Amino acid sequence: MDLTKLNLFITYIYRQLLGPFILIMLSMTGIAWLTQSLRFIELIIIKGLPINIFLNLTILIIPKLLVTIIPFVAFLAVLITYTRLNTESELISMKSAGMTNFKILLPAVIFGITLGALTISIENYGSPYAYNKFKTLQHTIRNNYISTLFQEKVFSSPIKGLTVFIKERDKIGNFQGILIHDERDVNKTISIIAEQGKIVTTQEGARFALINGNRQEVSKDKNISILYFNEYTLNITNYNKDTSPRFKEASERSFYELFNSEKNISALYKKEFLAEGHKRIMTPIIVLIMVLIGATTSIIGKFNRKASIKKILGNFSKPIVGIAPFAAHEAKIWGIEKIKNLISDGVLVSTPAGSTAYNLSAHGPILNLDSNKLAITPISPFRPRRWKGVIISDKSKIVIKNL
């Protein structure tokens, strides 16, 4: 075949592959992103985290999602494209023009190599960078947004020995109806009730700034003192920010860092890093294999429109057990009944799965999938005219005799 014609065919099939891939990729990425984003909705609705931080968190997980779904999306796109080309007889036309199966598969191979290169780039650069930013942002939220630890009408314990109940909180983090029980000092127990308050950050750490309330202190020897206040601050002395460098997980490291890790880390982490590195090496190969499976499924074998559907879905079950087209004078169903002089175009025996297909079109009953029954339905019965069929157990023995 002329090289120009070959390039024309390759370009045409390659463009046909891009459309389904982009459409399925956008759809599945959107669904996966929405599913993952639901985990962080609580940070906005309940804990009052700013919307920009929520968007940053959810956007940073997209590269990791892309790496996960690209192999499956590539398989679907290639399978749909080649099946459509086969169904519309375009592949037959290409073979008539002198293209072999290998040449027809060549666009899929190029497509798989392209996606493999894209996957390598995302896995070794985009995904580690984005996931590292994601984990760093989570670390920052945990240290700087202590107010997100408190929920309305829930007893929270942000640190050991301190229990806080908040009746209401507004969008900017102000609290209404505050109850604090402080047992951090072994020599005394403090209970504070305040009408309003909020969390403030100082150089010494986070503090409760409380307005209009009372403070009850019970000493170790059971002495009780009560203090009424207009303004009061409670230092959360046991809550300290974690300023130590954060350990980077395997998914946050570049390809070079996985195979050249620090010498002072444990052997278990080194094995985990090696496993992650090998997974990244295998991912583009998996993409190429999935693409080839999708393409060869539609090309290999004799062309048949009905068989093309079977190649996609697989022959999971045969919904129609048997269909006997004949003009019968007698039909016997052993163990159930004996029908004499049945004259019809045929007799149809169907399982529950097939009862919605030919059986339904022949005015037969629809069986429940778990019913363990078979439906026997006459096709265009002439005599007896009123006999509409019968439902029997799937363990019954059926003998149909054509006379």
mmCIF file with all atom_site columns, all heavy atoms in Angstrom, residues 369-389:
data_model
loop_
_atom_site.group_PDB
_atom_site.id
_atom_site.type_symbol
_atom_site.label_atom_id
_atom_site.label_alt_id
_atom_site.label_comp_id
_atom_site.label_asym_id
_atom_site.label_entity_id
_atom_site.label_seq_id
_atom_site.pdbx_PDB_ins_code
_atom_site.Cartn_x
_atom_site.Cartn_y
_atom_site.Cartn_z
_atom_site.occupancy
_atom_site.B_iso_or_equiv
_atom_site.pdbx_formal_charge
_atom_site.auth_seq_id
_atom_site.auth_comp_id
_atom_site.auth_asym_id
_atom_site.auth_atom_id
_atom_site.pdbx_PDB_model_num
ATOM 1   N N   . LEU A 1 369 ? -36.188 -12.322 38.094 1.00 0.00 ? 369 LEU A N   1
ATOM 2   C CA  . LEU A 1 369 ? -34.868 -12.929 37.904 1.00 0.00 ? 369 LEU A CA  1
ATOM 3   C C   . LEU A 1 369 ? -34.561 -13.991 38.948 1.00 0.00 ? 369 LEU A C   1
ATOM 4   O O   . LEU A 1 369 ? -33.766 -14.900 38.712 1.00 0.00 ? 369 LEU A O   1
ATOM 5   C CB  . LEU A 1 369 ? -33.788 -11.845 37.923 1.00 0.00 ? 369 LEU A CB  1
ATOM 6   C CG  . LEU A 1 369 ? -33.766 -10.905 36.711 1.00 0.00 ? 369 LEU A CG  1
ATOM 7   C CD1 . LEU A 1 369 ? -32.718 -9.826  36.911 1.00 0.00 ? 369 LEU A CD1 1
ATOM 8   C CD2 . LEU A 1 369 ? -33.482 -11.677 35.437 1.00 0.00 ? 369 LEU A CD2 1
ATOM 9   N N   . ASP A 1 370 ? -35.159 -13.892 40.119 1.00 0.00 ? 370 ASP A N   1
ATOM 10  C CA  . ASP A 1 370 ? -34.896 -14.854 41.192 1.00 0.00 ? 370 ASP A CA  1
ATOM 11  C C   . ASP A 1 370 ? -36.001 -15.896 41.319 1.00 0.00 ? 370 ASP A C   1
ATOM 12  O O   . ASP A 1 370 ? -36.096 -16.584 42.337 1.00 0.00 ? 370 ASP A O   1
ATOM 13  C CB  . ASP A 1 370 ? -34.752 -14.111 42.530 1.00 0.00 ? 370 ASP A CB  1
ATOM 14  C CG  . ASP A 1 370 ? -33.622 -13.116 42.503 1.00 0.00 ? 370 ASP A CG  1
ATOM 15  O OD1 . ASP A 1 370 ? -32.607 -13.399 41.846 1.00 0.00 ? 370 ASP A OD1 1
ATOM 16  O OD2 . ASP A 1 370 ? -33.748 -12.057 43.147 1.00 0.00 ? 370 ASP A OD2 1
ATOM 17  N N   . SER A 1 371 ? -36.847 -16.017 40.311 1.00 0.00 ? 371 SER A N   1
ATOM 18  C CA  . SER A 1 371 ? -38.023 -16.880 40.450 1.00 0.00 ? 371 SER A CA  1
ATOM 19  C C   . SER A 1 371 ? -37.742 -18.356 40.232 1.00 0.00 ? 371 SER A C   1
ATOM 20  O O   . SER A 1 371 ? -38.544 -19.202 40.620 1.00 0.00 ? 371 SER A O   1
ATOM 21  C CB  . SER A 1 371 ? -39.098 -16.426 39.449 1.00 0.00 ? 371 SER A CB  1
ATOM 22  O OG  . SER A 1 371 ? -38.619 -16.575 38.118 1.00 0.00 ? 371 SER A OG  1
ATOM 23  N N   . ASN A 1 372 ? -36.600 -18.696 39.574 1.00 0.00 ? 372 ASN A N   1
ATOM 24  C CA  . ASN A 1 372 ? -36.281 -20.103 39.273 1.00 0.00 ? 372 ASN A CA  1
ATOM 25  C C   . ASN A 1 372 ? -37.403 -20.760 38.470 1.00 0.00 ? 372 ASN A C   1
ATOM 26  O O   . ASN A 1 372 ? -37.820 -21.891 38.751 1.00 0.00 ? 372 ASN A O   1
ATOM 27  C CB  . ASN A 1 372 ? -36.025 -20.900 40.548 1.00 0.00 ? 372 ASN A CB  1
ATOM 28  C CG  . ASN A 1 372 ? -34.837 -20.385 41.326 1.00 0.00 ? 372 ASN A CG  1
ATOM 29  O OD1 . ASN A 1 372 ? -33.841 -19.970 40.726 1.00 0.00 ? 372 ASN A OD1 1
ATOM 30  N ND2 . ASN A 1 372 ? -34.933 -20.364 42.639 1.00 0.00 ? 372 ASN A ND2 1
ATOM 31  N N   . LYS A 1 373 ? -37.928 -20.029 37.483 1.00 0.00 ? 373 LYS A N   1
ATOM 32  C CA  . LYS A 1 373 ? -39.020 -20.514 36.652 1.00 0.00 ? 373 LYS A CA  1
ATOM 33  C C   . LYS A 1 373 ? -38.638 -20.444 35.182 1.00 0.00 ? 373 LYS A C   1
ATOM 34  O O   . LYS A 1 373 ? -37.671 -19.763 34.782 1.00 0.00 ? 373 LYS A O   1
ATOM 35  C CB  . LYS A 1 373 ? -40.290 -19.682 36.883 1.00 0.00 ? 373 LYS A CB  1
ATOM 36  C CG  . LYS A 1 373 ? -40.815 -19.697 38.310 1.00 0.00 ? 373 LYS A CG  1
ATOM 37  C CD  . LYS A 1 373 ? -41.349 -21.055 38.710 1.00 0.00 ? 373 LYS A CD  1
ATOM 38  C CE  . LYS A 1 373 ? -41.948 -21.020 40.109 1.00 0.00 ? 373 LYS A CE  1
ATOM 39  N NZ  . LYS A 1 373 ? -42.472 -22.356 40.520 1.00 0.00 ? 373 LYS A NZ  1
ATOM 40  N N   . LEU A 1 374 ? -39.396 -21.157 34.365 1.00 0.00 ? 374 LEU A N   1
ATOM 41  C CA  . LEU A 1 374 ? -39.292 -21.089 32.919 1.00 0.00 ? 374 LEU A CA  1
ATOM 42  C C   . LEU A 1 374 ? -40.673 -20.729 32.359 1.00 0.00 ? 374 LEU A C   1
ATOM 43  O O   . LEU A 1 374 ? -41.694 -21.149 32.908 1.00 0.00 ? 374 LEU A O   1
ATOM 44  C CB  . LEU A 1 374 ? -38.826 -22.427 32.325 1.00 0.00 ? 374 LEU A CB  1
ATOM 45  C CG  . LEU A 1 374 ? -37.414 -22.894 32.691 1.00 0.00 ? 374 LEU A CG  1
ATOM 46  C CD1 . LEU A 1 374 ? -37.163 -24.272 32.099 1.00 0.00 ? 374 LEU A CD1 1
ATOM 47  C CD2 . LEU A 1 374 ? -36.369 -21.912 32.201 1.00 0.00 ? 374 LEU A CD2 1
ATOM 48  N N   . ALA A 1 375 ? -40.670 -19.972 31.290 1.00 0.00 ? 375 ALA A N   1
ATOM 49  C CA  . ALA A 1 375 ? -41.925 -19.609 30.621 1.00 0.00 ? 375 ALA A CA  1
ATOM 50  C C   . ALA A 1 375 ? -42.001 -20.337 29.286 1.00 0.00 ? 375 ALA A C   1
ATOM 51  O O   . ALA A 1 375 ? -41.054 -20.304 28.501 1.00 0.00 ? 375 ALA A O   1
ATOM 52  C CB  . ALA A 1 375 ? -42.008 -18.100 30.411 1.00 0.00 ? 375 ALA A CB  1
ATOM 53  N N   . ILE A 1 376 ? -43.132 -21.019 29.051 1.00 0.00 ? 376 ILE A N   1
ATOM 54  C CA  . ILE A 1 376 ? -43.385 -21.682 27.773 1.00 0.00 ? 376 ILE A CA  1
ATOM 55  C C   . ILE A 1 376 ? -44.514 -20.916 27.090 1.00 0.00 ? 376 ILE A C   1
ATOM 56  O O   . ILE A 1 376 ? -45.624 -20.826 27.619 1.00 0.00 ? 376 ILE A O   1
ATOM 57  C CB  . ILE A 1 376 ? -43.770 -23.151 27.967 1.00 0.00 ? 376 ILE A CB  1
ATOM 58  C CG1 . ILE A 1 376 ? -42.627 -23.884 28.686 1.00 0.00 ? 376 ILE A CG1 1
ATOM 59  C CG2 . ILE A 1 376 ? -44.076 -23.818 26.639 1.00 0.00 ? 376 ILE A CG2 1
ATOM 60  C CD1 . ILE A 1 376 ? -42.918 -25.338 28.950 1.00 0.00 ? 376 ILE A CD1 1
ATOM 61  N N   . THR A 1 377 ? -44.209 -20.334 25.938 1.00 0.00 ? 377 THR A N   1
ATOM 62  C CA  . THR A 1 377 ? -45.144 -19.447 25.256 1.00 0.00 ? 377 THR A CA  1
ATOM 63  C C   . THR A 1 377 ? -45.315 -19.888 23.806 1.00 0.00 ? 377 THR A C   1
ATOM 64  O O   . THR A 1 377 ? -44.312 -20.061 23.096 1.00 0.00 ? 377 THR A O   1
ATOM 65  C CB  . THR A 1 377 ? -44.632 -17.994 25.291 1.00 0.00 ? 377 THR A CB  1
ATOM 66  O OG1 . THR A 1 377 ? -44.368 -17.620 26.645 1.00 0.00 ? 377 THR A OG1 1
ATOM 67  C CG2 . THR A 1 377 ? -45.645 -17.036 24.687 1.00 0.00 ? 377 THR A CG2 1
ATOM 68  N N   . PRO A 1 378 ? -46.540 -20.062 23.339 1.00 0.00 ? 378 PRO A N   1
ATOM 69  C CA  . PRO A 1 378 ? -46.752 -20.378 21.925 1.00 0.00 ? 378 PRO A CA  1
ATOM 70  C C   . PRO A 1 378 ? -46.587 -19.128 21.070 1.00 0.00 ? 378 PRO A C   1
ATOM 71  O O   . PRO A 1 378 ? -46.905 -18.017 21.490 1.00 0.00 ? 378 PRO A O   1
ATOM 72  C CB  . PRO A 1 378 ? -48.193 -20.881 21.894 1.00 0.00 ? 378 PRO A CB  1
ATOM 73  C CG  . PRO A 1 378 ? -48.847 -20.164 23.029 1.00 0.00 ? 378 PRO A CG  1
ATOM 74  C CD  . PRO A 1 378 ? -47.808 -20.019 24.089 1.00 0.00 ? 378 PRO A CD  1
ATOM 75  N N   . ILE A 1 379 ? -46.052 -19.336 19.861 1.00 0.00 ? 379 ILE A N   1
ATOM 76  C CA  . ILE A 1 379 ? -45.860 -18.226 18.934 1.00 0.00 ? 379 ILE A CA  1
ATOM 77  C C   . ILE A 1 379 ? -46.989 -18.266 17.902 1.00 0.00 ? 379 ILE A C   1
ATOM 78  O O   . ILE A 1 379 ? -47.138 -19.242 17.156 1.00 0.00 ? 379 ILE A O   1
ATOM 79  C CB  . ILE A 1 379 ? -44.488 -18.319 18.244 1.00 0.00 ? 379 ILE A CB  1
ATOM 80  C CG1 . ILE A 1 379 ? -43.366 -18.274 19.298 1.00 0.00 ? 379 ILE A CG1 1
ATOM 81  C CG2 . ILE A 1 379 ? -44.314 -17.181 17.237 1.00 0.00 ? 379 ILE A CG2 1
ATOM 82  C CD1 . ILE A 1 379 ? -41.991 -18.475 18.732 1.00 0.00 ? 379 ILE A CD1 1
ATOM 83  N N   . SER A 1 380 ? -47.787 -17.221 17.898 1.00 0.00 ? 380 SER A N   1
ATOM 84  C CA  . SER A 1 380 ? -48.941 -17.112 16.992 1.00 0.00 ? 380 SER A CA  1
ATOM 85  C C   . SER A 1 380 ? -49.788 -18.389 17.008 1.00 0.00 ? 380 SER A C   1
ATOM 86  O O   . SER A 1 380 ? -49.913 -19.085 15.996 1.00 0.00 ? 380 SER A O   1
ATOM 87  C CB  . SER A 1 380 ? -48.462 -16.821 15.554 1.00 0.00 ? 380 SER A CB  1
ATOM 88  O OG  . SER A 1 380 ? -47.731 -15.618 15.500 1.00 0.00 ? 380 SER A OG  1
ATOM 89  N N   . PRO A 1 381 ? -50.343 -18.736 18.158 1.00 0.00 ? 381 PRO A N   1
ATOM 90  C CA  . PRO A 1 381 ? -51.116 -19.986 18.233 1.00 0.00 ? 381 PRO A CA  1
ATOM 91  C C   . PRO A 1 381 ? -52.421 -19.913 17.418 1.00 0.00 ? 381 PRO A C   1
ATOM 92  O O   . PRO A 1 381 ? -53.095 -18.886 17.404 1.00 0.00 ? 381 PRO A O   1
ATOM 93  C CB  . PRO A 1 381 ? -51.410 -20.113 19.728 1.00 0.00 ? 381 PRO A CB  1
ATOM 94  C CG  . PRO A 1 381 ? -51.408 -18.715 20.230 1.00 0.00 ? 381 PRO A CG  1
ATOM 95  C CD  . PRO A 1 381 ? -50.371 -17.987 19.428 1.00 0.00 ? 381 PRO A CD  1
ATOM 96  N N   . PHE A 1 382 ? -52.736 -21.029 16.749 1.00 0.00 ? 382 PHE A N   1
ATOM 97  C CA  . PHE A 1 382 ? -53.991 -21.129 16.008 1.00 0.00 ? 382 PHE A CA  1
ATOM 98  C C   . PHE A 1 382 ? -55.001 -21.999 16.742 1.00 0.00 ? 382 PHE A C   1
ATOM 99  O O   . PHE A 1 382 ? -56.193 -21.735 16.761 1.00 0.00 ? 382 PHE A O   1
ATOM 100 C CB  . PHE A 1 382 ? -53.722 -21.689 14.595 1.00 0.00 ? 382 PHE A CB  1
ATOM 101 C CG  . PHE A 1 382 ? -54.951 -21.835 13.765 1.00 0.00 ? 382 PHE A CG  1
ATOM 102 C CD1 . PHE A 1 382 ? -55.591 -20.723 13.235 1.00 0.00 ? 382 PHE A CD1 1
ATOM 103 C CD2 . PHE A 1 382 ? -55.504 -23.087 13.520 1.00 0.00 ? 382 PHE A CD2 1
ATOM 104 C CE1 . PHE A 1 382 ? -56.742 -20.858 12.474 1.00 0.00 ? 382 PHE A CE1 1
ATOM 105 C CE2 . PHE A 1 382 ? -56.649 -23.229 12.758 1.00 0.00 ? 382 PHE A CE2 1
ATOM 106 C CZ  . PHE A 1 382 ? -57.272 -22.112 12.234 1.00 0.00 ? 382 PHE A CZ  1
ATOM 107 N N   . ARG A 1 383 ? -54.505 -23.089 17.362 1.00 0.00 ? 383 ARG A N   1
ATOM 108 C CA  . ARG A 1 383 ? -55.381 -23.965 18.129 1.00 0.00 ? 383 ARG A CA  1
ATOM 109 C C   . ARG A 1 383 ? -54.552 -24.630 19.219 1.00 0.00 ? 383 ARG A C   1
ATOM 110 O O   . ARG A 1 383 ? -53.476 -25.175 18.919 1.00 0.00 ? 383 ARG A O   1
ATOM 111 C CB  . ARG A 1 383 ? -56.007 -25.013 17.213 1.00 0.00 ? 383 ARG A CB  1
ATOM 112 C CG  . ARG A 1 383 ? -57.028 -25.912 17.894 1.00 0.00 ? 383 ARG A CG  1
ATOM 113 C CD  . ARG A 1 383 ? -57.559 -26.950 16.954 1.00 0.00 ? 383 ARG A CD  1
ATOM 114 N NE  . ARG A 1 383 ? -58.233 -26.319 15.810 1.00 0.00 ? 383 ARG A NE  1
ATOM 115 C CZ  . ARG A 1 383 ? -58.488 -26.957 14.674 1.00 0.00 ? 383 ARG A CZ  1
ATOM 116 N NH1 . ARG A 1 383 ? -58.113 -28.217 14.544 1.00 0.00 ? 383 ARG A NH1 1
ATOM 117 N NH2 . ARG A 1 383 ? -59.104 -26.348 13.688 1.00 0.00 ? 383 ARG A NH2 1
ATOM 118 N N   . PRO A 1 384 ? -54.965 -24.648 20.478 1.00 0.00 ? 384 PRO A N   1
ATOM 119 C CA  . PRO A 1 384 ? -56.152 -23.941 20.982 1.00 0.00 ? 384 PRO A CA  1
ATOM 120 C C   . PRO A 1 384 ? -55.903 -22.429 21.042 1.00 0.00 ? 384 PRO A C   1
ATOM 121 O O   . PRO A 1 384 ? -54.842 -21.987 21.478 1.00 0.00 ? 384 PRO A O   1
ATOM 122 C CB  . PRO A 1 384 ? -56.362 -24.531 22.372 1.00 0.00 ? 384 PRO A CB  1
ATOM 123 C CG  . PRO A 1 384 ? -55.018 -25.013 22.776 1.00 0.00 ? 384 PRO A CG  1
ATOM 124 C CD  . PRO A 1 384 ? -54.312 -25.452 21.532 1.00 0.00 ? 384 PRO A CD  1
ATOM 125 N N   . ARG A 1 385 ? -56.873 -21.646 20.656 1.00 0.00 ? 385 ARG A N   1
ATOM 126 C CA  . ARG A 1 385 ? -56.677 -20.213 20.488 1.00 0.00 ? 385 ARG A CA  1
ATOM 127 C C   . ARG A 1 385 ? -56.491 -19.488 21.812 1.00 0.00 ? 385 ARG A C   1
ATOM 128 O O   . ARG A 1 385 ? -55.806 -18.479 21.882 1.00 0.00 ? 385 ARG A O   1
ATOM 129 C CB  . ARG A 1 385 ? -57.879 -19.640 19.716 1.00 0.00 ? 385 ARG A CB  1
ATOM 130 C CG  . ARG A 1 385 ? -57.668 -18.225 19.214 1.00 0.00 ? 385 ARG A CG  1
ATOM 131 C CD  . ARG A 1 385 ? -58.841 -17.787 18.381 1.00 0.00 ? 385 ARG A CD  1
ATOM 132 N NE  . ARG A 1 385 ? -59.015 -18.624 17.204 1.00 0.00 ? 385 ARG A NE  1
ATOM 133 C CZ  . ARG A 1 385 ? -58.360 -18.415 16.063 1.00 0.00 ? 385 ARG A CZ  1
ATOM 134 N NH1 . ARG A 1 385 ? -57.510 -17.416 15.969 1.00 0.00 ? 385 ARG A NH1 1
ATOM 135 N NH2 . ARG A 1 385 ? -58.575 -19.199 15.023 1.00 0.00 ? 385 ARG A NH2 1
ATOM 136 N N   . ARG A 1 386 ? -57.092 -19.988 22.868 1.00 0.00 ? 386 ARG A N   1
ATOM 137 C CA  . ARG A 1 386 ? -57.049 -19.296 24.156 1.00 0.00 ? 386 ARG A CA  1
ATOM 138 C C   . ARG A 1 386 ? -55.835 -19.697 25.012 1.00 0.00 ? 386 ARG A C   1
ATOM 139 O O   . ARG A 1 386 ? -55.649 -19.150 26.087 1.00 0.00 ? 386 ARG A O   1
ATOM 140 C CB  . ARG A 1 386 ? -58.332 -19.565 24.948 1.00 0.00 ? 386 ARG A CB  1
ATOM 141 C CG  . ARG A 1 386 ? -59.578 -18.983 24.291 1.00 0.00 ? 386 ARG A CG  1
ATOM 142 C CD  . ARG A 1 386 ? -60.804 -19.253 25.148 1.00 0.00 ? 386 ARG A CD  1
ATOM 143 N NE  . ARG A 1 386 ? -62.003 -18.703 24.533 1.00 0.00 ? 386 ARG A NE  1
ATOM 144 C CZ  . ARG A 1 386 ? -62.393 -17.440 24.673 1.00 0.00 ? 386 ARG A CZ  1
ATOM 145 N NH1 . ARG A 1 386 ? -61.675 -16.624 25.406 1.00 0.00 ? 386 ARG A NH1 1
ATOM 146 N NH2 . ARG A 1 386 ? -63.498 -17.015 24.081 1.00 0.00 ? 386 ARG A NH2 1
ATOM 147 N N   . TRP A 1 387 ? -55.068 -20.649 24.569 1.00 0.00 ? 387 TRP A N   1
ATOM 148 C CA  . TRP A 1 387 ? -53.920 -21.091 25.394 1.00 0.00 ? 387 TRP A CA  1
ATOM 149 C C   . TRP A 1 387 ? -52.765 -20.109 25.233 1.00 0.00 ? 387 TRP A C   1
ATOM 150 O O   . TRP A 1 387 ? -52.227 -19.912 24.146 1.00 0.00 ? 387 TRP A O   1
ATOM 151 C CB  . TRP A 1 387 ? -53.482 -22.504 24.971 1.00 0.00 ? 387 TRP A CB  1
ATOM 152 C CG  . TRP A 1 387 ? -52.498 -23.103 25.945 1.00 0.00 ? 387 TRP A CG  1
ATOM 153 C CD1 . TRP A 1 387 ? -52.754 -23.499 27.212 1.00 0.00 ? 387 TRP A CD1 1
ATOM 154 C CD2 . TRP A 1 387 ? -51.107 -23.349 25.725 1.00 0.00 ? 387 TRP A CD2 1
ATOM 155 N NE1 . TRP A 1 387 ? -51.624 -23.995 27.819 1.00 0.00 ? 387 TRP A NE1 1
ATOM 156 C CE2 . TRP A 1 387 ? -50.591 -23.916 26.914 1.00 0.00 ? 387 TRP A CE2 1
ATOM 157 C CE3 . TRP A 1 387 ? -50.250 -23.159 24.646 1.00 0.00 ? 387 TRP A CE3 1
ATOM 158 C CZ2 . TRP A 1 387 ? -49.274 -24.298 27.058 1.00 0.00 ? 387 TRP A CZ2 1
ATOM 159 C CZ3 . TRP A 1 387 ? -48.930 -23.539 24.779 1.00 0.00 ? 387 TRP A CZ3 1
ATOM 160 C CH2 . TRP A 1 387 ? -48.445 -24.100 25.976 1.00 0.00 ? 387 TRP A CH2 1
ATOM 161 N N   . LYS A 1 388 ? -52.379 -19.422 26.349 1.00 0.00 ? 388 LYS A N   1
ATOM 162 C CA  . LYS A 1 388 ? -51.352 -18.383 26.330 1.00 0.00 ? 388 LYS A CA  1
ATOM 163 C C   . LYS A 1 388 ? -49.998 -18.863 26.833 1.00 0.00 ? 388 LYS A C   1
ATOM 164 O O   . LYS A 1 388 ? -49.054 -18.067 26.917 1.00 0.00 ? 388 LYS A O   1
ATOM 165 C CB  . LYS A 1 388 ? -51.801 -17.190 27.174 1.00 0.00 ? 388 LYS A CB  1
ATOM 166 C CG  . LYS A 1 388 ? -53.100 -16.547 26.679 1.00 0.00 ? 388 LYS A CG  1
ATOM 167 C CD  . LYS A 1 388 ? -52.946 -16.008 25.265 1.00 0.00 ? 388 LYS A CD  1
ATOM 168 C CE  . LYS A 1 388 ? -54.215 -15.301 24.817 1.00 0.00 ? 388 LYS A CE  1
ATOM 169 N NZ  . LYS A 1 388 ? -54.112 -14.802 23.429 1.00 0.00 ? 388 LYS A NZ  1
ATOM 170 N N   . GLY A 1 389 ? -49.909 -20.135 27.182 1.00 0.00 ? 389 GLY A N   1
ATOM 171 C CA  . GLY A 1 389 ? -48.642 -20.648 27.677 1.00 0.00 ? 389 GLY A CA  1
ATOM 172 C C   . GLY A 1 389 ? -48.736 -21.058 29.129 1.00 0.00 ? 389 GLY A C   1
ATOM 173 O O   . GLY A 1 389 ? -49.818 -21.057 29.741 1.00 0.00 ? 389 GLY A O   1
#
